[in-house]
Amino acid sequence: MEQPGTWDSQAATGAHHVEEAAAMSDDLSGVWDGTYIQPGTGMVTFTATLIEAGGALSGSVTEPCSNPRCPVRTHNSSISGHRAGSVVSFVKRYEPPGYGFGIVQYDGIMNGEATEIDGRWRLPGTSGSFLMIRAGKRAQASTTDKRADAPTR
C-alpha cells in the first residue's frame, strides 16, 4: 500500500523531468546553417557552431568571402552573446578583422522548437535580415521525407 505523499513526490519528480527535457530542447548548442542578406551582395550562407551555457552564448562562424577584392576565400569569426527566453543577441567578430569586415551585431527571435533563429544584423549605417536553422533538424526532416516517399511493403 502507498504511503501518503508518495504519489505527490512521484508526480513532482515526473514534472521536474519534463521541465528538464523542455529546458534541454531549448538549448541552442549545436551546428546551425544560416543565411544573411547583405545589401549590394545578396544572400550569403554560413555555418555557425553555438555553445550555450546558462544563457550565455559563444561559438564560431565560417562563411565564404563575398567581397571580390577579399584575399581569403573563407572568413572565420567568433560569437559571444546571450539568450533570454526566445530573444537571442550576439556579436560576431571577424578574425582577422579587415576587408570590410569587423564586428556585427545580431538580434533575433528563436522559434518555440528551438530550431530556427530569425532576425536582423546591424553594422553602422547598414543592416539586413538573417535566418539560422539547426542543422540536425533539417537533415532529420529530409530523412523523414525520404522514408515517406519509399514504397511500403
Side-chain angles (χ1 to χ4, degrees), residues 34-38 41-46 61 63-64 66 75 92 94 101 106 121 128-131:
T35 59
Y36 64 84
I37 306 298
Q38 184 172 6
T41 300
M43 184 180 293
V44 178
T45 60
F46 63 90
V61 174
E63 65 190 72
S66 58
H75 282 292
K92 179 169 74 171
Y94 285 91
F101 298 91
Y106 283 75
W121 59 266
S129 61
F130 77 92
L131 176 65

Side-chain angles (χ1 to χ4, degrees), residues 65-123:
C65 184
S66 58
N67 181 340
R69 297 182 311 267
C70 189
V72 296
R73 292 180 53 148
T74 303
H75 282 292
N76 295 305
S77 54
S78 62
I79 287 178
S80 62
H82 63 277
R83 178 177 69 93
S86 63
V87 177
V88 179
S89 182
F90 60 88
V91 173
K92 179 169 74 171
R93 288 180 174 82
Y94 285 91
E95 299 167 356
Y99 317 110
F101 298 91
I103 298 174
V104 185
Q105 175 68 45
Y106 283 75
D107 296 298
I109 302 294
M110 175 186 73
N111 70 352
E113 295 79 32
T115 58
E116 293 185 9
I117 304 169
D118 190 12
R120 303 225 20 111
W121 59 266
R122 289 189 322 273
L123 285 169

